[in-house]
């Protein structure tokens, strides 16, 4: 569940872009700040997703606010999606799925088998990265082909975020229970 909370800034950004790109960026930055501080107080180390979201949304909010205020909503969304795609994809390529920072090899009194634990985290990280890739493609299509309806990108965001969230909530328990079943 902490992993889903780590995506709260991005989810808020996706929701509030319907009102205003600037408002959505500043809300996402504020949420990233709160999540980062909360996590740092609970355990004095910084997580990639939290810090990356903080830097990404601060940079985008400042860029759109002071450097290029006429940047289109589709371009802002594309930058955010690509930023998250790169931020989460690079560690996976290096063999360190970002979800490991949120996961615990213990579930209640049960201990995960180490190989299964690592595999589940690779899969969860890959699903989120694929989701951000899908969102970036949809936003790129709308950004570079303005004749396309904007709701395509919105639908892709909702679909990708919803499926990744649902998958994150259900997949680990399903894998753990199937691993414990006798063959």
């Amino acid at each position: 569940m902490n992993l889903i909370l780590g995506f709260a800034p991005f989810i808020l950004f996706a929701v509030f872009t319907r009102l205003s790109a600037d408002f959505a960026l500043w809300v996402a930055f504020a949420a990233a700040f709160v999540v980062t501080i909360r996590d740092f107080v609970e355990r004095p180390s910084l997580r990639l997703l939290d810090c990356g979201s903080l830097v990404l949304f601060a940079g985008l909010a400042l860029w759109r606010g002071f450097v290029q205020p006429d940047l289109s909503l589709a371009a802002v969304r594309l930058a955010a999606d690509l930023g998250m795609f790169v931020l989460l994809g690079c560690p996976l390529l290096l063999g360190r799925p970002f979800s490991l920072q949120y996961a615990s090899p213990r579930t209640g009194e049960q201990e995960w088998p180490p190989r299964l634990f690592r595999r589940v985290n690779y899969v969860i990280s890959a699903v989120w990265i694929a989701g951000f890739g899908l969102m970036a493609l949809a936003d790129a299509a709308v950004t570079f082909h303005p004749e396309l309806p904007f709701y395509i990108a919105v639908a892709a965001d909702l679909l990708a975020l919803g499926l990744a969230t649902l998958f994150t909530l259900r997949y680990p328990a399903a894998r753990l229970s199937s691993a414990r079943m006798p063959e």
Side-chain angles (χ1 to χ4, degrees):
M1 191 59 154
N2 276 337
L3 178 61
I4 303 300
L5 187 59
F7 283 109
F10 193 86
I11 292 168
L12 288 171
F13 169 74
V15 168
F16 286 117
T17 55
R18 297 290 295 154
L19 298 176
S20 158
D22 292 319
F23 179 68
L25 286 169
W26 288 107
V27 165
F29 167 66
F33 183 79
V34 168
V35 168
T36 302
I37 294 300
R38 180 191 141 270
D39 284 351
F40 187 74
V41 167
E42 285 182 3
R43 56 185 212 99
S45 65
L46 297 173
R47 295 176 179 164
L48 174 72
L49 178 59
D50 300 340
C51 291
S53 294
L54 181 67
V55 171
L56 175 69
F57 287 115
L60 284 172
L62 291 170
W63 185 266
R64 174 111 198 266
F66 298 106
V67 177
Q68 197 174 2
D70 59 338
L71 191 63
S72 73
L73 173 59
V76 170
R77 290 168 49 108
L78 175 59
D81 295 342
L82 281 176
M84 293 298 285
F85 180 79
V86 170
L87 174 74
L88 303 178
C90 288
L92 188 66
L93 291 176
L94 298 173
R96 301 192 58 113
F98 76 93
S99 63
L100 279 174
Q101 295 177 330
Y102 293 89
S104 171
R106 294 189 57 76
T107 306
E109 294 188 19
Q110 300 173 344
E111 183 80 28
W112 279 75
R115 291 185 68 199
L116 178 61
F117 178 73
R118 200 145 174 81
R119 176 75 177 140
V120 164
N121 278 282
Y122 268 97
V123 171
I124 288 173
S125 293
V127 164
W128 280 99
I129 293 162
F132 283 110
L134 171 69
M135 293 179 344
L137 287 174
D139 285 328
V142 172
T143 300
F144 298 116
H145 298 284
E147 69 276 4
L148 292 175
F150 188 69
Y151 68 81
I152 290 174
V154 172
D157 279 9
L158 292 174
L159 180 67
L161 290 172
L163 289 175
T165 300
L166 185 65
F167 186 84
T168 301
L169 293 172
R170 295 193 175 194
Y171 180 70
R175 287 293 291 145
L176 186 60
S177 68
S178 69
R180 296 198 188 283
M181 294 177 69
E183 295 181 19

